[in-house]
Amino acid sequence: MNKKNPREDHIVIVSNRLPFVLKKSEGGNIEVGKGTGGLVTAMAPVLKNRHGTWVGWPGYVQESDTDETMLSAIQSAASGYSVKPVMLTTDEVKNYYEGFSNSILWPLFHDSTDKCLFFPEYWKSYKEVNKKFALTVYRNADDLDFLWVHDYQLILVGGYLREMDIGNRIGFFLHIPFPPIDTFARCPWRFELLSAMLEYDVLGFQTIQDKRNFIGCLASILQHAGIDAKAEVDEAVSELQFDGRTVRIGVFPISIDYHEIILEADKSRGYKGAEEKCGDDRNVNLLGVDRLDYTKGIVEKLKAYQRFLTLFPKLHKKVHFIQLVVPSRGEIAAYVELKLKIEQLVGEINGIFGTADWLPVRYMFRPLDSTELISLYRASEIAFIGSLKDGMNLVAKEYCACNIDEKGVLILSEFAGAAQQFYQDAILINPHDIEGTAMAIYRAFTMPLEERSLRMRNLRENVKNRDVFWWLDSFFNAAIVKS
Ligand code: ADQ
C-alpha cells in the first residue's frame, strides 16, 4: 500500500555524517567545524530551504552516555533545522564505517574490487548500525515527514523502517555510481542489498547509466531468486511493483546552490589571479580540487601533467598546477598509501622541472574555507577533474558557477557523472590515457578566447538551470503520489 503524501516543507534527512564535525581539543574544549564532501555541500542548502531534521553521526566516538556538552554543541551548530545524532562506538566505526561502507561498498561501486575486503564481521556491523539509524528516525519522525535516506552507508535503513511499520513515504538517493552486474554480483550480500533497496518508495540515481546498472542487477539477481522485479530503463521515472507497493526509480543529477555560490564568487572579484594574455603568452593556473580518494585520479592527473611538461618545454613557467586535496578516511590503509604516492609524485615533478622562480605543482593537503576555495576557482583558467569513477563531481559545477568572467576551461573525466551533462562543452578526457590527457591540457591552454567563452557560457547556463533546488524538486515530484 502506498503511503500518504509527505509535506514538502519538512524533511528528515538521514545520512552517515552530519554536516559538521565535532572534535574535543586536547584542552577538552569542543571545536565545531564545517563538514566537507559532496553530500554536505548539496544537502546543507536543501535543509536551510525546506527545514526539518537531520539524522547522522557527528564524527566522533562517544566517550560516555552523558556527554551533554557535546550534544548541546551539536544542536547549536545547526541553524534552521534540528539535529538527531546517532552515536557510534569505536568498533562500529571500524566495522561499519571503515569496513563495510568504505572497504566494501565504496570500492565495489567504484570499479575497484581489488580493494574490497569481504569480511562477515563488517556485514554484521553494517546491519546493526543501519538498524540504529532506523530507530533514531522512527523515534523522531512525524507522520507526514518525508524520510530521505542518503547514500551507500545506509542502504538497509528503509527496510528496517518498514519492519518498524512506519507509515511515511521513504526515499533513497545514491550519491555514488551503481556498478554493472559483473561487478555487483561479486558481493556476498548482493541479494540482501538489492532487496533492501526495493523497500523504498523512490530510488534516485545520478545518471542513466547507474539506473540502467541497477535495473540490470535486479533483473539478474532477484529474478534468479524467483522474485519478479522488472522495470523499463528508458522511462523518465520507471516504476516497478514489489511486495504490493510501487517503487519509482529515477535519475536526478545532483547539483549546487548556484545563486549562493555566485554571490560569494562576486565578492572575491578583487582577487588577483593569473594574468590574462593571448596565445602562448598566457600564465595559467590549472586547478585540481579533490577529496583524498583513489577514485579521483589524482595520481593519473599528476602523471599527465608530468607528460605535458615533458612534451611542451616552452610552456614551463606559464602553467601552475594547483592541486588541493582535502583529507579523508585517513584510517584506511589504501588512503594512507595514496597520500604517500601523491606526495612522492609532487616531489618528483617539482624536483625534475622546478626552478628557483617556478614551482610546477603547488600541493595543499587541507580543507579550505569557502572564501579561499572560491577565490581559487575564480583565479584559475583551467579546472582539471580526472576521476576514474565519480557519482557526479560537484567541483565541476562549483568551478563553472564561479567562472563569472566566462573565460575558463573545464577538463573533465568522461567517468564522472557530470560528463553526461557537460559532454558538449567540457574537454572530456579518459584519465587512464596519460598521453591524451597531457594533450587535453595543451588544448585547454591554447583554446582561443572566443571558444572558451562560448563553452563556459553554456556550462554555466546548464548549472544555473539545474541547480540543487531543481534536483530537490525533481526528486520530490517523483516521491509524490499523483491521484
Ligand atoms: P565527493 O566524493 O566528496 O562526493 P564531490 O562531488 O567532488 O565529491 O564533492 C567534493 C566537495 O568537497 C566539493 O563541494 C568541494 O568544494 C569540497 N572540497 C574538495 N576539496 C576541498 C578542500 N581542499 N577544501 C574545502 N572543500 C573541498 C560524493 C560523490 C560525488 C557526488 C557527491 C554529491 O562521490 O560523486 O558528486 O557526493 O552527490
mmCIF file of all heavy atoms in Angstrom, residues 36-39 41-42 106 110 151 173 175-176 206 254 289-291 296 324-326 366-369 373 377 390-395 398, ligand 1:
data_model
loop_
_atom_site.group_PDB
_atom_site.id
_atom_site.type_symbol
_atom_site.label_atom_id
_atom_site.label_comp_id
_atom_site.label_asym_id
_atom_site.label_seq_id
_atom_site.Cartn_x
_atom_site.Cartn_y
_atom_site.Cartn_z
ATOM 1 N N THR A 36 33.116 18.463 5.179
ATOM 2 C CA THR A 36 33.418 18.638 3.756
ATOM 3 C C THR A 36 32.872 17.431 2.998
ATOM 4 O O THR A 36 32.449 16.452 3.598
ATOM 5 C CB THR A 36 34.937 18.729 3.500
ATOM 6 O OG1 THR A 36 35.561 17.668 4.191
ATOM 7 C CG2 THR A 36 35.498 20.061 3.920
ATOM 8 N N GLY A 37 32.921 17.530 1.711
ATOM 9 C CA GLY A 37 32.431 16.416 0.892
ATOM 10 C C GLY A 37 31.153 16.819 0.185
ATOM 11 O O GLY A 37 30.453 17.751 0.593
ATOM 12 N N GLY A 38 30.891 16.089 -0.901
ATOM 13 C CA GLY A 38 29.816 16.452 -1.803
ATOM 14 C C GLY A 38 28.425 16.385 -1.192
ATOM 15 O O GLY A 38 27.591 17.242 -1.458
ATOM 16 N N LEU A 39 28.173 15.381 -0.342
ATOM 17 C CA LEU A 39 26.830 15.238 0.210
ATOM 18 C C LEU A 39 26.469 16.458 1.062
ATOM 19 O O LEU A 39 25.388 17.027 0.934
ATOM 20 C CB LEU A 39 26.759 13.958 1.041
ATOM 21 C CG LEU A 39 25.378 13.538 1.504
ATOM 22 C CD1 LEU A 39 25.294 12.017 1.532
ATOM 23 C CD2 LEU A 39 24.997 14.086 2.856
ATOM 24 N N THR A 41 27.836 19.492 0.887
ATOM 25 C CA THR A 41 27.724 20.669 0.008
ATOM 26 C C THR A 41 26.312 20.739 -0.575
ATOM 27 O O THR A 41 25.697 21.790 -0.637
ATOM 28 C CB THR A 41 28.735 20.563 -1.162
ATOM 29 O OG1 THR A 41 30.024 20.417 -0.609
ATOM 30 C CG2 THR A 41 28.692 21.781 -2.064
ATOM 31 N N ALA A 42 25.796 19.607 -1.011
ATOM 32 C CA ALA A 42 24.495 19.609 -1.678
ATOM 33 C C ALA A 42 23.339 19.713 -0.695
ATOM 34 O O ALA A 42 22.371 20.436 -0.937
ATOM 35 C CB ALA A 42 24.354 18.343 -2.521
ATOM 36 N N TRP A 106 32.186 1.129 -1.061
ATOM 37 C CA TRP A 106 32.821 2.210 -1.828
ATOM 38 C C TRP A 106 33.670 1.640 -2.978
ATOM 39 O O TRP A 106 33.438 1.987 -4.154
ATOM 40 C CB TRP A 106 33.619 3.131 -0.901
ATOM 41 C CG TRP A 106 34.322 4.239 -1.638
ATOM 42 C CD1 TRP A 106 35.582 4.200 -2.161
ATOM 43 C CD2 TRP A 106 33.781 5.526 -1.993
ATOM 44 N NE1 TRP A 106 35.872 5.386 -2.802
ATOM 45 C CE2 TRP A 106 34.785 6.218 -2.713
ATOM 46 C CE3 TRP A 106 32.554 6.158 -1.785
ATOM 47 C CZ2 TRP A 106 34.611 7.510 -3.205
ATOM 48 C CZ3 TRP A 106 32.383 7.461 -2.276
ATOM 49 C CH2 TRP A 106 33.396 8.106 -2.974
ATOM 50 N N HIS A 110 32.788 1.596 -7.170
ATOM 51 C CA HIS A 110 33.673 2.449 -7.977
ATOM 52 C C HIS A 110 34.665 1.625 -8.796
ATOM 53 O O HIS A 110 35.790 2.100 -9.059
ATOM 54 C CB HIS A 110 34.454 3.413 -7.077
ATOM 55 C CG HIS A 110 33.643 4.574 -6.567
ATOM 56 N ND1 HIS A 110 32.981 4.552 -5.365
ATOM 57 C CD2 HIS A 110 33.395 5.806 -7.091
ATOM 58 C CE1 HIS A 110 32.363 5.712 -5.180
ATOM 59 N NE2 HIS A 110 32.603 6.487 -6.201
ATOM 60 N N ASP A 151 22.688 7.642 0.565
ATOM 61 C CA ASP A 151 23.970 7.050 0.216
ATOM 62 C C ASP A 151 24.237 5.647 0.759
ATOM 63 O O ASP A 151 23.507 5.102 1.563
ATOM 64 C CB ASP A 151 25.099 8.014 0.594
ATOM 65 C CG ASP A 151 26.074 8.165 -0.568
ATOM 66 O OD1 ASP A 151 25.839 7.537 -1.613
ATOM 67 O OD2 ASP A 151 27.073 8.891 -0.441
ATOM 68 N N PHE A 173 18.580 8.234 -2.001
ATOM 69 C CA PHE A 173 19.387 8.765 -3.096
ATOM 70 C C PHE A 173 20.804 8.227 -2.981
ATOM 71 O O PHE A 173 21.433 8.314 -1.924
ATOM 72 C CB PHE A 173 19.412 10.299 -3.079
ATOM 73 C CG PHE A 173 20.136 10.855 -4.279
ATOM 74 C CD1 PHE A 173 19.527 10.874 -5.524
ATOM 75 C CD2 PHE A 173 21.442 11.304 -4.173
ATOM 76 C CE1 PHE A 173 20.209 11.342 -6.651
ATOM 77 C CE2 PHE A 173 22.134 11.779 -5.291
ATOM 78 C CZ PHE A 173 21.503 11.796 -6.529
ATOM 79 N N HIS A 175 24.508 8.675 -3.936
ATOM 80 C CA HIS A 175 25.404 9.739 -4.419
ATOM 81 C C HIS A 175 26.538 9.193 -5.283
ATOM 82 O O HIS A 175 27.184 9.945 -5.999
ATOM 83 C CB HIS A 175 25.990 10.502 -3.223
ATOM 84 C CG HIS A 175 24.962 11.331 -2.508
ATOM 85 N ND1 HIS A 175 24.935 12.709 -2.580
ATOM 86 C CD2 HIS A 175 23.914 10.981 -1.735
ATOM 87 C CE1 HIS A 175 23.910 13.167 -1.872
ATOM 88 N NE2 HIS A 175 23.278 12.134 -1.337
ATOM 89 N N ILE A 176 26.794 7.911 -5.156
ATOM 90 C CA ILE A 176 27.926 7.334 -5.893
ATOM 91 C C ILE A 176 27.379 6.484 -7.049
ATOM 92 O O ILE A 176 26.178 6.243 -7.129
ATOM 93 C CB ILE A 176 28.833 6.509 -4.931
ATOM 94 C CG1 ILE A 176 28.108 5.298 -4.360
ATOM 95 C CG2 ILE A 176 29.343 7.407 -3.792
ATOM 96 C CD1 ILE A 176 29.006 4.388 -3.509
ATOM 97 N N GLN A 206 22.322 9.105 -9.910
ATOM 98 C CA GLN A 206 22.910 10.310 -10.506
ATOM 99 C C GLN A 206 22.794 10.322 -12.032
ATOM 100 O O GLN A 206 22.623 11.373 -12.633
ATOM 101 C CB GLN A 206 24.415 10.383 -10.163
ATOM 102 C CG GLN A 206 24.758 10.462 -8.693
ATOM 103 C CD GLN A 206 24.785 11.895 -8.167
ATOM 104 O OE1 GLN A 206 24.090 12.757 -8.686
ATOM 105 N NE2 GLN A 206 25.559 12.137 -7.132
ATOM 106 N N ILE A 254 22.646 15.454 -9.137
ATOM 107 C CA ILE A 254 22.737 16.396 -8.008
ATOM 108 C C ILE A 254 23.485 17.660 -8.428
ATOM 109 O O ILE A 254 24.235 17.657 -9.410
ATOM 110 C CB ILE A 254 23.409 15.713 -6.794
ATOM 111 C CG1 ILE A 254 23.020 16.426 -5.499
ATOM 112 C CG2 ILE A 254 24.913 15.632 -6.967
ATOM 113 C CD1 ILE A 254 23.340 15.629 -4.252
ATOM 114 N N VAL A 289 40.804 20.053 -7.429
ATOM 115 C CA VAL A 289 40.237 20.102 -6.068
ATOM 116 C C VAL A 289 39.579 18.751 -5.811
ATOM 117 O O VAL A 289 38.582 18.413 -6.462
ATOM 118 C CB VAL A 289 39.170 21.224 -5.942
ATOM 119 C CG1 VAL A 289 38.555 21.245 -4.552
ATOM 120 C CG2 VAL A 289 39.757 22.586 -6.271
ATOM 121 N N ASP A 290 40.137 17.988 -4.908
ATOM 122 C CA ASP A 290 39.595 16.641 -4.689
ATOM 123 C C ASP A 290 39.665 16.245 -3.229
ATOM 124 O O ASP A 290 40.574 16.656 -2.518
ATOM 125 C CB ASP A 290 40.442 15.606 -5.456
ATOM 126 C CG ASP A 290 40.506 15.872 -6.938
ATOM 127 O OD1 ASP A 290 39.535 15.549 -7.642
ATOM 128 O OD2 ASP A 290 41.530 16.424 -7.405
ATOM 129 N N ARG A 291 38.728 15.412 -2.812
ATOM 130 C CA ARG A 291 38.888 14.707 -1.554
ATOM 131 C C ARG A 291 39.977 13.670 -1.772
ATOM 132 O O ARG A 291 40.131 13.157 -2.886
ATOM 133 C CB ARG A 291 37.569 13.991 -1.232
ATOM 134 C CG ARG A 291 37.045 14.208 0.128
ATOM 135 C CD ARG A 291 35.689 13.602 0.380
ATOM 136 N NE ARG A 291 35.180 12.698 -0.629
ATOM 137 C CZ ARG A 291 35.529 11.417 -0.742
ATOM 138 N NH1 ARG A 291 36.391 10.883 0.104
ATOM 139 N NH2 ARG A 291 35.004 10.660 -1.690
ATOM 140 N N LYS A 296 39.497 9.511 -7.428
ATOM 141 C CA LYS A 296 39.546 10.864 -8.005
ATOM 142 C C LYS A 296 40.644 11.007 -9.064
ATOM 143 O O LYS A 296 40.759 12.055 -9.696
ATOM 144 C CB LYS A 296 39.735 11.912 -6.899
ATOM 145 C CG LYS A 296 38.620 11.921 -5.846
ATOM 146 C CD LYS A 296 37.283 12.406 -6.395
ATOM 147 C CE LYS A 296 36.204 12.404 -5.315
ATOM 148 N NZ LYS A 296 34.881 12.779 -5.822
ATOM 149 N N LEU A 324 44.602 20.893 -4.737
ATOM 150 C CA LEU A 324 44.126 20.869 -3.346
ATOM 151 C C LEU A 324 43.594 19.483 -3.058
ATOM 152 O O LEU A 324 42.835 18.935 -3.864
ATOM 153 C CB LEU A 324 42.941 21.810 -3.142
ATOM 154 C CG LEU A 324 43.054 23.254 -3.554
ATOM 155 C CD1 LEU A 324 41.760 23.953 -3.202
ATOM 156 C CD2 LEU A 324 44.205 23.895 -2.817
ATOM 157 N N VAL A 325 43.959 18.979 -1.904
ATOM 158 C CA VAL A 325 43.399 17.683 -1.509
ATOM 159 C C VAL A 325 42.854 17.835 -0.093
ATOM 160 O O VAL A 325 43.563 18.288 0.805
ATOM 161 C CB VAL A 325 44.470 16.573 -1.559
ATOM 162 C CG1 VAL A 325 43.885 15.243 -1.080
ATOM 163 C CG2 VAL A 325 45.006 16.407 -2.985
ATOM 164 N N VAL A 326 41.605 17.489 0.072
ATOM 165 C CA VAL A 326 41.029 17.565 1.414
ATOM 166 C C VAL A 326 41.195 16.193 2.075
ATOM 167 O O VAL A 326 40.897 15.163 1.467
ATOM 168 C CB VAL A 326 39.558 18.066 1.385
ATOM 169 C CG1 VAL A 326 38.634 17.105 0.729
ATOM 170 C CG2 VAL A 326 39.050 18.417 2.756
ATOM 171 N N ARG A 366 44.765 20.037 2.884
ATOM 172 C CA ARG A 366 43.951 20.526 3.999
ATOM 173 C C ARG A 366 42.611 21.027 3.453
ATOM 174 O O ARG A 366 42.519 21.370 2.271
ATOM 175 C CB ARG A 366 44.659 21.646 4.755
ATOM 176 C CG ARG A 366 44.987 22.848 3.911
ATOM 177 C CD ARG A 366 45.805 23.868 4.708
ATOM 178 N NE ARG A 366 46.376 24.873 3.853
ATOM 179 C CZ ARG A 366 45.779 25.982 3.466
ATOM 180 N NH1 ARG A 366 44.540 26.235 3.874
ATOM 181 N NH2 ARG A 366 46.374 26.857 2.684
ATOM 182 N N PRO A 367 41.602 21.117 4.331
ATOM 183 C CA PRO A 367 40.357 21.723 3.854
ATOM 184 C C PRO A 367 40.548 23.236 3.759
ATOM 185 O O PRO A 367 41.248 23.815 4.576
ATOM 186 C CB PRO A 367 39.344 21.379 4.953
ATOM 187 C CG PRO A 367 40.106 20.794 6.073
ATOM 188 C CD PRO A 367 41.529 20.631 5.706
ATOM 189 N N LEU A 368 39.950 23.837 2.766
ATOM 190 C CA LEU A 368 39.993 25.300 2.649
ATOM 191 C C LEU A 368 38.638 25.843 3.054
ATOM 192 O O LEU A 368 37.629 25.155 2.869
ATOM 193 C CB LEU A 368 40.265 25.684 1.187
ATOM 194 C CG LEU A 368 41.704 26.034 0.818
ATOM 195 C CD1 LEU A 368 42.635 24.889 1.116
ATOM 196 C CD2 LEU A 368 41.788 26.409 -0.650
ATOM 197 N N ASP A 369 38.593 27.092 3.557
ATOM 198 C CA ASP A 369 37.254 27.628 3.817
ATOM 199 C C ASP A 369 36.686 28.090 2.479
ATOM 200 O O ASP A 369 37.392 28.202 1.478
ATOM 201 C CB ASP A 369 37.262 28.708 4.898
ATOM 202 C CG ASP A 369 37.996 29.951 4.475
ATOM 203 O OD1 ASP A 369 38.000 30.257 3.268
ATOM 204 O OD2 ASP A 369 38.592 30.605 5.342
ATOM 205 N N LEU A 373 38.466 28.843 -1.248
ATOM 206 C CA LEU A 373 38.214 27.915 -2.349
ATOM 207 C C LEU A 373 37.626 28.658 -3.551
ATOM 208 O O LEU A 373 38.062 28.480 -4.696
ATOM 209 C CB LEU A 373 37.265 26.815 -1.868
ATOM 210 C CG LEU A 373 36.989 25.682 -2.823
ATOM 211 C CD1 LEU A 373 38.260 24.954 -3.205
ATOM 212 C CD2 LEU A 373 36.006 24.676 -2.215
ATOM 213 N N TYR A 377 38.948 29.119 -7.383
ATOM 214 C CA TYR A 377 38.160 28.803 -8.579
ATOM 215 C C TYR A 377 38.210 29.996 -9.536
ATOM 216 O O TYR A 377 38.413 29.849 -10.733
ATOM 217 C CB TYR A 377 36.693 28.535 -8.223
ATOM 218 C CG TYR A 377 36.384 27.161 -7.634
ATOM 219 C CD1 TYR A 377 35.465 27.020 -6.596
ATOM 220 C CD2 TYR A 377 36.955 26.008 -8.150
ATOM 221 C CE1 TYR A 377 35.137 25.774 -6.077
ATOM 222 C CE2 TYR A 377 36.640 24.759 -7.631
ATOM 223 C CZ TYR A 377 35.731 24.645 -6.596
ATOM 224 O OH TYR A 377 35.413 23.408 -6.101
ATOM 225 N N ASP A 390 33.157 8.500 -10.628
ATOM 226 C CA ASP A 390 32.619 9.516 -9.716
ATOM 227 C C ASP A 390 31.112 9.605 -9.935
ATOM 228 O O ASP A 390 30.666 9.646 -11.090
ATOM 229 C CB ASP A 390 33.265 10.875 -10.065
ATOM 230 C CG ASP A 390 33.454 11.775 -8.847
ATOM 231 O OD1 ASP A 390 32.735 11.582 -7.858
ATOM 232 O OD2 ASP A 390 34.330 12.652 -8.902
ATOM 233 N N GLY A 391 30.350 9.655 -8.839
ATOM 234 C CA GLY A 391 28.899 9.738 -8.973
ATOM 235 C C GLY A 391 28.500 10.936 -9.824
ATOM 236 O O GLY A 391 27.830 10.804 -10.854
ATOM 237 N N MET A 392 28.911 12.123 -9.387
ATOM 238 C CA MET A 392 28.629 13.331 -10.153
ATOM 239 C C MET A 392 29.903 14.150 -10.318
ATOM 240 O O MET A 392 30.432 14.333 -11.375
ATOM 241 C CB MET A 392 27.540 14.156 -9.431
ATOM 242 C CG MET A 392 27.158 15.474 -10.087
ATOM 243 S SD MET A 392 26.675 15.351 -11.819
ATOM 244 C CE MET A 392 25.368 14.138 -11.801
ATOM 245 N N ASN A 393 30.415 14.682 -9.238
ATOM 246 C CA ASN A 393 31.544 15.609 -9.102
ATOM 247 C C ASN A 393 31.040 17.050 -9.074
ATOM 248 O O ASN A 393 30.808 17.690 -10.102
ATOM 249 C CB ASN A 393 32.625 15.455 -10.182
ATOM 250 C CG ASN A 393 33.885 16.209 -9.743
ATOM 251 O OD1 ASN A 393 33.909 17.441 -9.727
ATOM 252 N ND2 ASN A 393 34.892 15.485 -9.322
ATOM 253 N N LEU A 394 30.885 17.531 -7.850
ATOM 254 C CA LEU A 394 30.363 18.883 -7.663
ATOM 255 C C LEU A 394 31.415 19.954 -7.905
ATOM 256 O O LEU A 394 31.080 21.109 -8.158
ATOM 257 C CB LEU A 394 29.773 19.026 -6.253
ATOM 258 C CG LEU A 394 28.508 18.208 -6.023
ATOM 259 C CD1 LEU A 394 27.982 18.399 -4.611
ATOM 260 C CD2 LEU A 394 27.417 18.584 -7.033
ATOM 261 N N VAL A 395 32.689 19.562 -7.844
ATOM 262 C CA VAL A 395 33.748 20.540 -8.103
ATOM 263 C C VAL A 395 33.572 21.114 -9.513
ATOM 264 O O VAL A 395 33.716 22.320 -9.734
ATOM 265 C CB VAL A 395 35.141 19.893 -7.915
ATOM 266 C CG1 VAL A 395 36.248 20.804 -8.411
ATOM 267 C CG2 VAL A 395 35.354 19.549 -6.442
ATOM 268 N N GLU A 398 30.860 23.686 -9.250
ATOM 269 C CA GLU A 398 31.298 24.858 -8.481
ATOM 270 C C GLU A 398 32.233 25.715 -9.337
ATOM 271 O O GLU A 398 32.137 26.938 -9.344
ATOM 272 C CB GLU A 398 32.034 24.413 -7.204
ATOM 273 C CG GLU A 398 31.108 23.765 -6.187
ATOM 274 C CD GLU A 398 31.851 23.051 -5.057
ATOM 275 O OE1 GLU A 398 33.094 23.052 -5.036
ATOM 276 O OE2 GLU A 398 31.170 22.478 -4.185
HETATM 277 P P1 ADQ B 1 32.623 13.636 -3.043
HETATM 278 O O1 ADQ B 1 33.297 12.366 -3.396
HETATM 279 O O2 ADQ B 1 33.006 14.250 -1.764
HETATM 280 O O3 ADQ B 1 31.033 13.482 -3.075
HETATM 281 P P2 ADQ B 1 32.452 15.984 -4.940
HETATM 282 O O4 ADQ B 1 31.112 15.897 -5.548
HETATM 283 O O5 ADQ B 1 33.505 16.430 -5.896
HETATM 284 O O6 ADQ B 1 32.953 14.603 -4.320
HETATM 285 O O7 ADQ B 1 32.385 17.000 -3.742
HETATM 286 C C1 ADQ B 1 33.531 17.421 -3.054
HETATM 287 C C2 ADQ B 1 33.171 18.644 -2.210
HETATM 288 O O8 ADQ B 1 34.238 18.865 -1.291
HETATM 289 C C3 ADQ B 1 33.002 19.891 -3.066
HETATM 290 O O9 ADQ B 1 31.897 20.618 -2.611
HETATM 291 C C4 ADQ B 1 34.318 20.649 -2.836
HETATM 292 O O10 ADQ B 1 34.170 22.051 -2.854
HETATM 293 C C5 ADQ B 1 34.718 20.191 -1.443
HETATM 294 N N1 ADQ B 1 36.199 20.190 -1.330
HETATM 295 C C6 ADQ B 1 37.074 19.438 -2.020
HETATM 296 N N2 ADQ B 1 38.337 19.738 -1.681
HETATM 297 C C7 ADQ B 1 38.257 20.696 -0.751
HETATM 298 C C8 ADQ B 1 39.224 21.420 0.016
HETATM 299 N N3 ADQ B 1 40.559 21.218 -0.084
HETATM 300 N N4 ADQ B 1 38.750 22.322 0.885
HETATM 301 C C9 ADQ B 1 37.421 22.536 1.026
HETATM 302 N N5 ADQ B 1 36.480 21.879 0.343
HETATM 303 C C10 ADQ B 1 36.890 20.971 -0.525
HETATM 304 C C11 ADQ B 1 30.115 12.397 -3.260
HETATM 305 C C12 ADQ B 1 30.286 11.624 -4.567
HETATM 306 C C13 ADQ B 1 30.249 12.582 -5.737
HETATM 307 C C14 ADQ B 1 28.960 13.393 -5.715
HETATM 308 C C15 ADQ B 1 28.715 13.993 -4.352
HETATM 309 C C16 ADQ B 1 27.333 14.613 -4.232
HETATM 310 O O11 ADQ B 1 31.500 10.890 -4.558
HETATM 311 O O12 ADQ B 1 30.365 11.890 -6.959
HETATM 312 O O13 ADQ B 1 29.042 14.443 -6.660
HETATM 313 O O14 ADQ B 1 28.820 13.025 -3.310
HETATM 314 O O15 ADQ B 1 26.359 13.703 -4.568
#
